[in-house]
Amino acid sequence: MMGFLKNLKKWHVLQIILLTGLILILLFFGALHYFSKGADISGLKNELPQPTVFYDAGGNIASKVSANKNEGVPIKEVPNSMINAVIAIEDHRFYRHNGVDVIGTSRALVRDIKAGAMVEGGSTITQQLIKNTLLTSQKTVTRKMQEVFLALAVEREYSKQEILQMYVNQIYFGNGAWGIKQAASKYFGKDVQDLSIGESALLAGLIKAPSALNPYHHMNKAIDRRNIVLLQMKNHGYISTAEYEGARREKVVLNDKGGDPFRGKFPYYVDGVLYEAINKYGLSQDELLTGGYQIYTELDPVMQAAMEKTYQNDALFPKGADRLVQSGGVLVDPKTGGVRALVGGRGDHTFMGYNRAVQLKTQPGSSFKPLAVYVPALEEGWQLTDMLKDEQMKYGNYQPKNHNSQYEGEVPMYEAVMESKNTSAVWLLNEIGLGKGVNSVERFGFQLAKEDKNLAMALGGLHKGIAPIDMAEAFSVFPNNGVRIEAHAITKIVDRDGKIISEWKAKKERVTTKAVTDNMTTMLLGVVEHGTGKAAQIPGRETAGKTGSTQVPIKGVNGVKDQWFVGFTPQLVGAIWVGYDKTDATHFLTPTSDAGAAAVFRETMKEALANTPVEKFEVPHVGELIEKREQEKLYENFQKNFDNEIHKWEEKWNKQKEKWEKKRKDKGKGNGKGNGKGKDKD
């Protein structure tokens, strides 16, 4: 009897202990449930990281940018072999728990207690996702409890497929590969959906220790780990024995594509597109980097590559002593206004940094003369051969000078353009009236400030200045028969749902007549063929254009601040600026014939048009006019010399006549005296 009572008491104690334990477990899970309701998982986004994709003028992918380090893949595109491999090795009870695997966690806890430290995590896939996105990887009890609360909250909010999708797209696979898309490319040079069972198992095996198991450095370890994953897949029924054996025998063939070949390509053009999207279409930089937009552009990848190659040739640019001489340039299709290529600087590229092709604001110098002076003069009836004054004159307090300080008195218009005569340009603008020049400049697309409206405008003396893209747009009027179309890089912007949110609509503006642009082209051909722009000559192609430069605005310093060349062929317009970002007494340009804006223009255009048929301007060249003027000068010189010689002979004749007359008179006087004496003697 006593033994029975004793056993009863023991049983009663066990019941109490068991009941207490059950109550504690219930309280624990109740607390988990309660606290997990308030867990903040707002930082976890069930969105596939998508880059903004840029398409060229032919509709082909040209470049990609993104604020994310990876690119997401929908879970439906991930092969079952990859999903099953991850589950088998990382969390084989994934479909049977609600975010926290009590059995796995208990087993890990026992091992941690035995070891006297946190040596095993026992984390589920959901917990690993939390750790990688919302928490640090620090192994503490507090962080572990947070992980549990958040995991439960995540499982209530998202389906298992959604959790898997977030996990495989955000986990690190080593070798710089974030997410399954980069991993498939980095290790096997494949798209995710093409992964084999063995390749899937190898990638899944890397998750535990990406660096230590990297097959590029530790192939044997990676294969051993792959085989463990394959065994787990077989044991859990994901693959058959035959599939297991076949995958084990599969040879690992590594192929590193180096990541997405389009990511970061054509960086300056991309910057220009983003700049345009922000300033013209009102999108923010954050939206453009995270919204997964598709932006269709006017980019010609061949021309862009050619321009980037040219900008790598340091010999084409003036040498800087302790600072890089900078440059910005753009190529524009005059028929559409489409920006075909664009480079915004030299040296290391900074994402969304200062892009001199589109953001520069500086004076254009003499490259502005055709727009401000010669087009309105032609419109007023002036002819290419009309004579313009070429002498120093004052207009109030303003007295322009020629760059070489040489003056011919008067020159024909085409020669004034060809030799970039400053005094002739200012004189002509004053003759036709400043208002005509202002009106012309504004028709070419420039908004002038009050300070700009004076005779210095003839020489590009603008208050704020302009960018290469502005000059390219203006000069496109000449090969486009007098019609201006706004220069633009973007044709349309499509959001991630396929909806067109912005689209380019061309607006054509008649600036001047074809007759005027033909005459202007003739004179600008003369600049390149015979004048100040000879360095811009492209072998085998007719090229027209205008040089421009501005002086260093520091007293006592004789140098160039800005150097320009803006020119065109029948198919393409180019505008190049060269100079320092900040000019001072020790940083300015000293022009040379083999380096500078004209040389950069020549090489850029030559390479960009290499595969383009040669076209010619249907306009006369100034060569005949130059030859005729030279003949006239020869005749004038001959006539002048002849007249001088005649005058000299006349002077000599007159002097000789005077001598003869004097001798005759002297002789007459002498003969009279001699006759008298003779008579006396006789």
Side-chain angles (χ1 to χ4, degrees):
M1 186 69 178
M2 291 294 294
F4 173 76
L5 291 173
K6 189 175 181 180
N7 289 333
L8 185 62
K9 285 181 179 180
K10 285 182 180 180
W11 176 245
H12 185 63
V13 171
L14 288 172
Q15 284 183 316
I16 292 173
I17 292 172
L18 183 61
L19 181 61
T20 302
L22 290 171
I23 291 172
L24 289 174
I25 291 172
L26 287 172
L27 287 173
F28 175 73
F29 281 102
L32 286 180
H33 180 75
Y34 175 78
F35 287 111
S36 68
K37 282 186 174 181
D40 182 12
I41 60 170
S42 60
L44 186 66
K45 303 293 184 183
N46 184 27
E47 297 176 354
L48 293 175
Q50 294 295 319
T52 292
V53 181
F54 300 82
Y55 295 86
D56 63 27
N60 303 307
I61 295 177
S63 186
K64 296 179 182 179
V65 296
S66 175
N68 301 300
K69 56 182 175 285
N70 61 342
E71 182 176 340
V73 179
I75 196 65
K76 63 183 179 181
E77 293 183 12
V78 180
N80 288 333
S81 63
M82 187 68 220
I83 295 171
N84 294 335
V86 170
I87 292 173
I89 196 64
E90 292 294 320
D91 185 6
H92 70 272
R93 289 172 48 80
F94 176 71
Y95 290 112
R96 298 197 295 275
H97 62 65
N98 61 350
V100 180
D101 186 359
V102 177
I103 296 174
T105 302
S106 300
R107 182 176 62 249
L109 184 60
V110 170
R111 291 177 182 173
D112 290 343
I113 292 171
K114 286 181 178 179
M118 300 286 285
V119 296
E120 185 171 336
S123 296
T124 64
I125 284 175
T126 310
Q127 288 172 285
Q128 290 182 52
L129 176 63
I130 295 298
K131 182 174 66 177
N132 281 287
T133 55
L134 302 178
L135 298 174
T136 67
S137 58
Q138 184 181 11
K139 290 185 176 182
T140 64
V141 174
T142 301
R143 192 206 59 79
K144 194 68 178 178
M145 292 303 296
Q146 289 177 318
E147 185 182 292
V148 169
F149 294 148
L150 292 168
L152 292 171
V154 167
E155 291 269 349
R156 281 199 304 270
E157 181 72 20
Y158 298 105
S159 69
K160 292 290 186 179
Q161 290 298 94
E162 289 174 322
I163 292 169
L164 277 173
Q165 178 172 280
M166 288 185 280
Y167 181 78
V168 298
N169 280 303
Q170 297 187 46
I171 202 73
Y172 184 56
F173 288 90
N175 205 39
W178 290 90
I180 188 60
K181 181 178 177 67
Q182 285 188 6
S185 178
K186 278 277 188 179
Y187 291 108
F188 302 114
K190 289 186 174 183
D191 291 330
V192 176
Q193 57 266 36
D194 297 328
L195 291 171
S196 68
I197 294 175
E199 291 166 344
S200 296
L202 189 142
L203 293 181
L206 296 179
I207 295 172
K208 178 183 179 181
S211 297
L213 298 171
N214 184 340
Y216 284 107
H217 306 296
H218 310 286
M219 176 61 81
N220 291 335
K221 289 182 179 180
I223 291 175
D224 290 342
R225 178 67 175 170
R226 178 202 68 179
N227 293 341
I228 291 172
V229 175
L230 288 171
L231 182 60
Q232 288 294 91
M233 292 175 73
K234 181 175 78 74
N235 291 341
H236 293 294
Y238 290 121
I239 57 175
S240 65
T241 301
E243 288 174 320
Y244 166 72
E245 295 295 342
R248 272 181 62 91
R249 291 192 300 269
E250 188 178 304
K251 184 179 178 181
V252 177
V253 180
L254 297 177
N255 179 16
D256 186 356
K257 277 190 174 180
D260 192 329
F262 295 108
R263 192 175 286 266
K265 197 173 182 182
F266 304 137
Y268 279 114
Y269 195 95
V270 166
D271 285 352
V273 170
L274 295 176
Y275 183 80
E276 187 174 309
I278 292 168
N279 290 278
K280 184 177 179 63
Y281 296 108
L283 294 169
S284 69
Q285 181 171 312
D286 183 62
E287 287 176 315
L288 290 166
L289 296 181
T290 61
Y293 291 100
Q294 299 173 66
I295 303 182
Y296 292 81
T297 75
E298 297 278 10
L299 171 70
D300 184 314
V302 173
M303 292 185 177
Q304 180 67 28
M307 195 169 195
E308 290 182 3
K309 178 183 175 183
T310 301
Y311 267 72
Q312 295 298 314
N313 186 354
D314 292 339
L316 295 173
F317 297 88
K319 293 181 180 179
D322 59 350
R323 194 184 304 168
L324 196 65
V325 173
Q326 274 298 344
S327 180
V330 62
L331 302 181
V332 172
D333 183 340
K335 306 301 180 186
T336 66
V339 175
R340 297 300 186 219
L342 178 157
V343 173
R346 298 177 65 210
D348 294 335
H349 170 263
T350 300
F351 177 70
M352 287 301 283
Y354 183 44
N355 192 316
R356 297 160 191 84
V358 297
Q359 292 176 279
L360 179 76
K361 295 296 178 185
T362 193
Q363 294 183 351
S366 293
S367 64
F368 210 59
K369 290 175 181 175
L371 318 178
V373 180
Y374 294 110
V375 164
L378 292 170
E379 290 173 338
E380 289 297 298
W382 286 71
Q383 303 298 314
L384 276 63
T385 52
D386 285 346
M387 302 303 288
L388 313 181
K389 283 192 176 181
D390 178 27
E391 57 188 52
Q392 283 191 281
M393 291 173 282
K394 292 191 72 173
Y395 305 86
N397 295 324
Y398 181 50
Q399 185 176 12
K401 297 179 180 180
N402 288 339
H403 63 91
N404 58 4
S405 299
Q406 294 181 6
Y407 307 90
E408 297 183 42
E410 63 174 14
V411 292
M413 183 190 291
Y414 69 83
E415 187 173 319
V417 175
M418 189 173 74
E419 298 298 336
S420 200
K421 298 281 189 179
N422 292 338
T423 54
S424 300
V426 175
W427 177 83
L428 183 56
L429 179 58
N430 188 60
E431 287 293 303
I432 65 173
L434 178 62
K436 297 286 174 55
V438 169
N439 177 265
S440 175
V441 167
E442 290 179 343
R443 278 184 280 133
F444 275 99
F446 297 99
Q447 297 299 316
L448 297 178
K450 184 178 179 181
E451 301 92 327
D452 297 331
K453 298 176 181 179
N454 54 64
L455 290 177
M457 179 185 71
L459 310 182
L462 304 182
H463 181 63
K464 290 184 178 180
I466 49 186
I469 193 170
D470 303 321
M471 290 300 290
E473 178 186 316
F475 269 63
S476 69
V477 169
F478 301 131
N480 201 32
N481 299 325
V483 175
R484 180 173 66 87
I485 303 174
E486 184 180 356
H488 63 284
I490 297 172
T491 56
K492 67 178 177 180
I493 301 175
V494 179
D495 66 17
R496 66 167 65 217
D497 298 320
K499 179 182 177 183
I500 298 175
I501 61 170
S502 301
E503 191 165 15
W504 163 255
K505 291 180 174 58
K507 294 180 181 178
K508 297 182 179 181
E509 181 179 338
R510 169 64 65 180
V511 175
T512 189
T513 65
K514 182 180 184 300
V516 167
T517 59
D518 283 351
N519 281 329
M520 199 69 244
T521 298
T522 291
M523 291 194 288
L524 294 177
L525 278 167
V527 172
V528 177
E529 293 172 350
H530 306 282
T532 58
K534 287 180 181 178
Q537 291 178 4
I538 304 171
R541 289 186 185 272
E542 289 188 350
T543 308
K546 185 70 187 73
T547 54
S549 63
T550 64
Q551 297 301 305
V552 176
I554 301 173
K555 190 175 181 179
V557 177
N558 184 24
V560 172
K561 176 180 177 291
D562 305 290
Q563 193 180 75
W564 287 84
F565 191 86
V566 189
F568 53 95
T569 65
Q571 308 107 306
L572 195 64
V573 180
I576 305 292
W577 167 86
V578 173
Y580 282 100
D581 285 335
K582 185 178 180 181
T583 299
D584 55 37
T586 57
H587 296 91
F588 55 86
L589 303 180
T590 303
T592 61
S593 59
D594 58 348
V600 176
F601 170 89
R602 178 192 69 233
E603 293 304 308
T604 296
M605 294 284 281
K606 183 175 72 175
E607 294 295 326
L609 294 169
N611 299 318
T612 304
V614 173
E615 293 185 17
K616 293 186 176 182
F617 295 106
E618 300 299 326
V619 299
H621 290 233
V622 298
E624 292 183 6
L625 296 175
I626 294 173
E627 186 177 345
K628 182 179 178 182
R629 178 157 169 75
E630 289 298 322
Q631 290 175 349
E632 289 174 350
K633 283 183 177 180
L634 286 173
Y635 177 76
E636 289 173 1
N637 290 335
F638 173 78
Q639 188 66 45
K640 185 177 180 181
N641 290 334
F642 181 78
D643 291 342
N644 287 337
E645 289 299 318
I646 293 295
H647 182 67
K648 287 178 183 178
W649 279 103
E650 285 180 345
E651 286 183 344
K652 287 181 179 180
W653 174 254
N654 290 332
K655 286 180 180 179
Q656 189 63 41
K657 282 175 65 178
E658 288 177 2
K659 287 180 181 179
W660 288 343
E661 185 65 28
K662 185 177 180 183
K663 283 182 179 180
R664 187 183 65 77
K665 288 181 179 180
D666 290 345
K667 188 175 181 181
K669 291 178 182 179
N671 288 338
K673 292 177 183 178
N675 289 337
K677 287 179 180 180
K679 287 178 181 179
D680 291 342
K681 287 180 178 180
D682 289 337

